[in-house]
Amino acid sequence: MSTTTAPKRKAAPAAPPAAETPKPGSSTNSPPVGIRKLNIGAVAAKPASTKTAYPVLTDTTGDIAKLAGDIFDESAELEALEGSIGAKKGELRSLALAQYFPLHRGKGEIPTSLIARSADGREVTVQFKNSYKVMPDESAVAPILGDERTARFLRQKLGFKIEGDKIPEDALEPIYEGLVALFAEHGAQAALTGTQGIVPTKDFHTLRHTQLTEEENRAFDLACPIQVAVGTKGRGEKAR
């Protein structure tokens, strides 16, 4: 008796692995090793900063050029001189301080200054003011003074500033009256000080050139001078 063997069926080809879904923020073009970088080529590069172009004063006589050159040169000399003077003052302060405490040890009346004499007899005053740097807290000096002297010789320094320009106009009067009443209630009227005055509006600086004539602008400047600063910082390179 013959037996028939069924033909073997070919195995189905294995399915290719499913492609992984890229994670947010990943890039299929990222190199396998090294620092991962984000390509920002689509974003415009920040333009290089350039010197602001201002109108140049007309100079038919050369006077302006002479003044500008003198101001620039002498400003540089002045800065160097101020730096030298500052360093010498600091050195003199250290030398005077070394004598200040031994000289006045145990005395109740202390003169405000010491004198430094030059070789030809000229005098420089070294003044020791009753004024000290404000410390954030007492931790730096409390171990030196101890608890009792810390409480005796140190106090809290307070200061409050109110920017009146940021208060709504209709609230100015009630706030002012409330402050005065509050300080008076606690007998501290002397601690409340203030200043007042009149200044042009913020848009006056630009609008004055269209709303006032040249004569009016000059007359206004005599009564309320515009603040003018003459500077050399950032303008050292010669025009090309």
Side-chain angles (χ1 to χ4, degrees), residues 144-222:
I144 301 171
L145 298 175
D147 293 342
E148 183 178 345
R149 290 186 299 180
T150 293
R152 169 68 177 83
F153 293 130
L154 301 182
R155 66 179 179 83
Q156 185 179 28
K157 183 179 178 64
L158 294 173
F160 299 98
K161 179 181 178 181
I162 298 175
E163 296 189 33
D165 290 347
K166 295 183 179 180
I167 299 176
E169 190 171 348
D170 56 355
L172 279 171
E173 189 171 345
I175 288 179
Y176 169 72
E177 292 177 350
L179 280 174
V180 172
L182 177 63
F183 277 69
E185 179 184 350
H186 296 279
Q189 301 95 316
L192 184 62
T193 61
T195 60
Q196 63 179 358
I198 300 297
V199 295
T201 57
K202 289 184 178 180
D203 57 358
F204 172 78
H205 185 68
T206 299
L207 294 180
R208 67 181 302 175
H209 302 290
T210 57
Q211 302 299 312
L212 277 67
T213 65
E214 288 187 30
E215 292 75 15
E216 289 171 333
N217 268 311
R218 293 181 187 278
F220 188 93
D221 191 66
L222 290 174

Side-chain angles (χ1 to χ4, degrees), residues 51-208:
K51 187 184 296 185
T52 304
Y54 299 124
V56 178
L57 290 170
T58 301
D59 186 13
T60 57
T61 63
D63 291 342
I64 291 178
K66 175 68 166 57
L67 287 169
D70 288 347
I71 289 171
F72 207 99
D73 294 340
E74 292 175 12
S75 293
E77 295 174 3
L78 180 60
E79 287 183 4
L81 188 59
E82 287 177 340
S84 176
I85 292 174
K88 287 181 171 62
K89 285 183 176 180
E91 187 175 355
L92 179 58
R93 178 193 182 278
S94 297
L95 294 172
L97 195 62
Q99 299 184 38
Y100 178 76
F101 295 114
L103 183 62
H104 299 309
R105 176 74 176 93
K107 296 180 180 179
E109 295 185 7
I110 308 300
T112 60
S113 306
L114 298 177
I115 294 296
R117 274 200 185 95
S118 66
D120 59 3
R122 291 176 293 174
E123 294 184 346
V124 174
T125 302
V126 184
Q127 183 179 12
F128 293 84
K129 299 180 179 180
N130 187 5
S131 178
Y132 296 86
K133 178 181 177 182
V134 178
M135 300 176 290
D137 55 55
E138 68 275 18
S139 59
V141 295
I144 301 171
L145 298 175
D147 293 342
E148 183 178 345
R149 290 186 299 180
T150 293
R152 169 68 177 83
F153 293 130
L154 301 182
R155 66 179 179 83
Q156 185 179 28
K157 183 179 178 64
L158 294 173
F160 299 98
K161 179 181 178 181
I162 298 175
E163 296 189 33
D165 290 347
K166 295 183 179 180
I167 299 176
E169 190 171 348
D170 56 355
L172 279 171
E173 189 171 345
I175 288 179
Y176 169 72
E177 292 177 350
L179 280 174
V180 172
L182 177 63
F183 277 69
E185 179 184 350
H186 296 279
Q189 301 95 316
L192 184 62
T193 61
T195 60
Q196 63 179 358
I198 300 297
V199 295
T201 57
K202 289 184 178 180
D203 57 358
F204 172 78
H205 185 68
T206 299
L207 294 180
R208 67 181 302 175

